[in-house]
Amino acid sequence: MSLDDELRRRLQQAADQAGAGTDPAALTHQVTKQAAVGARPPFRLLGAIGAVGLVAGGALGFTALQPADDTNAGGFGATVNVQRYSMYDCPDGAAVGTVYPGDRVYVIGRNDAADWVEVRDPRDQTQQRWLPAVAVDPDAVRDVPVVPCNEEIALTPAGASTTTIETTTTSTVPETTTSTTIVETTVPTTVPATVPPTPPPTPAPDTQQPIVAQGTRSPAEIYDGSWSSYCDISSALTVVATDNVGVTQVTGSYAGLGGSPIGFVKGSGNTWTATFGPFVGLPGSYSQDIVISIVAKDAAGNTSTATTVTVHVWGTCLI
Amino acid sequence: MRRHDVQALATRPDSAAERRRAEIEVFLSQHSQRLVGALTLITGSRATAEDALQEALVKAWHRKDEPIEQLAAWITVVATNQARSGWRRSQAEQRALTKVGGRATRDAAPTAEPDDALHAALRALPERERQVAVMHYVLDQSVAQVAAALGVTDGTVKTLLSRARAHLAAQLGMTDEGDDR
């Protein structure tokens, strides 16, 4: 029996022993369940406040988000993008919470420049927060009404018979007038029709860390460059770095091989790129996973937590 | 799956999801033991292997344009990558720890290691060599299939395979005698 055949036989036997007792039905069930959780239905708001609808779910226990079966004029349900974002009480105001990738938020308005959106706090639907528009679908943002910060939108409490409340609010922004109409329920006399205004925002220093993610490297392994021109290659590194006020620097560091810091260069969008290698004159037996730790900094000096990419470096090259 | 079953599924509103589920069911009934075993050899943990396979299949679920049957190599790579991440490893360990004292952990029963020498030799391999060796020898994937799944050249796979083979042979005291390579 050849070496290959013998290795195949022993490895397959070991694998079958290691995998014995696997329950395909249970695995299928788990996969189906997880896949279903991943495909959440879109959401909508019911009722109407101007262009945005709400359903009251109690004095302050509102159930604003409902599974969608139609579209709603004005607002829209959105899933937070690939990273976490701080929520603010106003554009460029104080941070008041955080949303995470996959969170569903309901967008109810935007600022003039459409680079900030006002949303319902996914963990407390009674609260309005502001998010950078990049946190949701920026293209859809322009379809929601412009609302100034601290524009309080009436919430409809649960209760009683049907009536109509109409309020008209002229915003501080010229030419922007928001007509607000609620058609749903009567307001009990003991419950105010509107939420009291929140105090004006206090400017806060930027303490938000940048976020660096989606690190990639290609190729995943490089060789001693002295062997041939085929081997004399570097690995291209990319990361996506974001920050509320802007990333100013992305650097990579690693142990071994001299460990020279790697400076990343800003590419398109939030992408930063750098190269790792080539290396020459390594010992022939060298074979090491080099873990490159990448961090981003912003103008205020906040530093992100590191993301890592691993490149395997060989001291030889047989290709 | 019988023909009329497929036709029945096709008429249902959620037929796409049902069909995917059926595909995965068939795929797992045929390959789950070997795949879990292969991933256990790569990662060293049965619990991690099962979790990683599950995660990979969830990703495969959403690749609806590709038949699951053709995704064995892809699933192995995705699952291996899943298993590499530290959080997953620690999650699996955490779950295993919580089960101590209760019912048997998933690692306890099936991971008897009669071929200790082979397992030791595998553990001594660099991870990439181990991955390539298992994909080639255990899952019967060709050099080209492994290369495509890993996104590297055939030459890189050949190099890794050659090194893995030499390392395993040395560790296990095997010789090339009678080998045609």
Side-chain angles (χ1 to χ4, degrees):
Chain A
M1 185 179 285
S2 73
L3 175 58
D4 274 337
D5 290 342
E6 179 63 9
L7 281 174
R8 180 171 287 109
R9 185 190 67 76
R10 286 180 70 172
L11 282 164
Q12 289 188 350
Q13 191 177 50
D16 287 343
Q17 284 170 347
T22 302
D23 182 353
L27 266 173
T28 305
H29 176 70
Q30 285 300 325
V31 170
T32 308
K33 205 166 74 174
Q34 278 191 29
V37 169
R40 295 177 192 169
F43 292 84
R44 70 170 175 130
L45 292 174
L46 302 177
I49 288 184
V52 179
L54 290 173
V55 164
L60 283 176
F62 294 92
T63 306
L65 293 173
Q66 299 291 334
D69 54 13
D70 62 8
T71 55
N72 204 294
F76 65 95
T79 302
V80 175
N81 287 332
V82 294
Q83 62 182 63
R84 71 182 160 81
Y85 289 89
S86 290
M87 294 185 292
Y88 299 84
D89 55 2
C90 278
D92 301 316
V96 289
T98 308
V99 285
Y100 297 90
D103 274 355
R104 295 287 299 178
V105 295
Y106 192 83
V107 179
I108 55 180
R110 64 174 171 92
N111 66 348
D112 238 358
D115 54 354
W116 288 83
V117 290
E118 189 175 40
V119 301
R120 293 277 171 214
D121 187 329
R123 285 162 195 82
D124 181 357
Q125 297 292 332
T126 63
Q127 298 298 316
Q128 294 143 228
R129 311 293 192 201
W130 287 84
L131 275 176
V134 293
V136 296
D137 179 3
D139 291 336
V141 162
R142 294 200 173 274
D143 296 334
V144 296
V146 173
V147 291
C149 177
N150 290 329
E151 175 78 1
E152 291 304 326
I153 296 177
L155 300 176
T156 311
S161 59
T162 302
T163 187
T164 301
I165 304 170
E166 292 190 5
T167 62
T168 301
T169 309
T170 304
S171 80
T172 53
V173 180
E175 87 269 346
T176 303
T177 300
T178 306
S179 290
T180 303
T181 305
I182 302 174
V183 184
E184 269 297 325
T185 55
T186 317
V187 181
T189 53
T190 55
V191 179
T194 58
V195 174
T198 53
T202 309
D206 173 37
T207 57
Q208 187 174 338
Q209 292 179 321
I211 295 167
V212 61
Q214 298 176 49
T216 65
R217 78 282 188 258
S218 179
E221 49 190 37
I222 57 177
Y223 310 91
D224 187 299
S226 58
W227 286 64
S228 76
S229 59
Y230 289 109
C231 306
D232 194 19
I233 57 173
S234 54
S235 182
L237 314 177
T238 65
V239 291
V240 175
T242 54
D243 183 68
N244 59 328
V245 296
V247 174
T248 56
Q249 186 185 37
V250 176
T251 53
S253 59
Y254 56 96
L257 295 172
S260 311
I262 303 169
F264 282 69
V265 177
K266 191 170 187 327
S268 60
N270 294 320
T271 302
W272 292 68
T273 60
T275 56
F276 176 68
F279 297 96
V280 294
L282 299 172
S285 59
Y286 190 88
S287 171
Q288 197 71 46
D289 275 337
I290 301 295
V291 180
I292 302 162
S293 179
I294 304 164
V295 295
K297 278 186 180 173
D298 67 11
N302 299 308
T303 304
S304 70
T305 52
T307 190
T308 61
V309 295
T310 302
V311 179
H312 194 90
V313 180
W314 297 96
T316 56
C317 182
L318 302 180
I319 58 173
Chain B
M1 176 172 285
R2 289 171 300 173
R3 186 178 180 81
H4 68 268
D5 288 342
V6 176
Q7 285 170 342
L9 289 174
T11 62
R12 293 167 55 173
D14 55 348
S15 59
E18 287 294 337
R19 267 201 299 270
R20 201 55 167 172
R21 183 193 158 89
E23 274 184 357
I24 284 177
E25 203 164 6
V26 170
F27 176 79
L28 283 175
S29 70
Q30 293 170 350
H31 303 293
S32 62
Q33 179 175 340
R34 181 61 65 84
L35 264 175
V36 168
L39 289 166
T40 303
L41 294 185
I42 293 172
T43 64
S45 161
R46 167 71 178 266
T48 305
E50 284 191 359
D51 283 351
L53 176 60
Q54 198 173 301
E55 290 288 328
L57 283 166
V58 171
K59 289 186 176 178
W61 179 286
H62 297 293
R63 292 166 68 108
K64 289 190 167 61
D65 294 337
E66 296 175 63
I68 289 285
E69 191 58 45
Q70 289 172 20
L71 291 175
W74 181 85
I75 284 169
T76 312
V77 173
V78 171
T80 310
N81 291 340
Q82 294 279 354
R84 287 174 72 177
S85 61
W87 68 267
R88 173 155 292 286
R89 207 166 288 134
S90 63
Q91 264 194 338
E93 285 163 2
Q94 204 61 46
R95 275 198 295 276
L97 279 174
T98 61
K99 291 177 182 171
V100 172
R103 57 199 170 90
T105 68
R106 281 180 290 170
D107 269 338
T111 46
E113 297 185 356
D115 200 343
D116 288 340
L118 179 67
H119 283 273
L122 274 173
R123 279 197 296 271
L125 290 182
E127 184 178 303
R128 205 54 182 271
E129 284 181 25
R130 190 162 63 238
Q131 185 181 24
V132 167
V134 169
M135 289 175 77
H136 179 65
Y137 289 120
V138 177
L139 300 177
D140 281 329
Q141 288 164 6
S142 68
V143 167
Q145 284 175 313
V146 175
L150 293 176
V152 298
T153 63
D154 286 6
T156 300
V157 173
K158 283 178 186 168
T159 303
L160 290 167
L161 255 185
S162 170
R163 287 181 178 139
R165 187 168 168 272
H167 287 153
L168 287 172
Q171 291 270 332
L172 298 170
M174 297 160 76
T175 65
D176 268 356
E177 203 172 325
D179 199 341
D180 55 4
R181 289 179 57 166

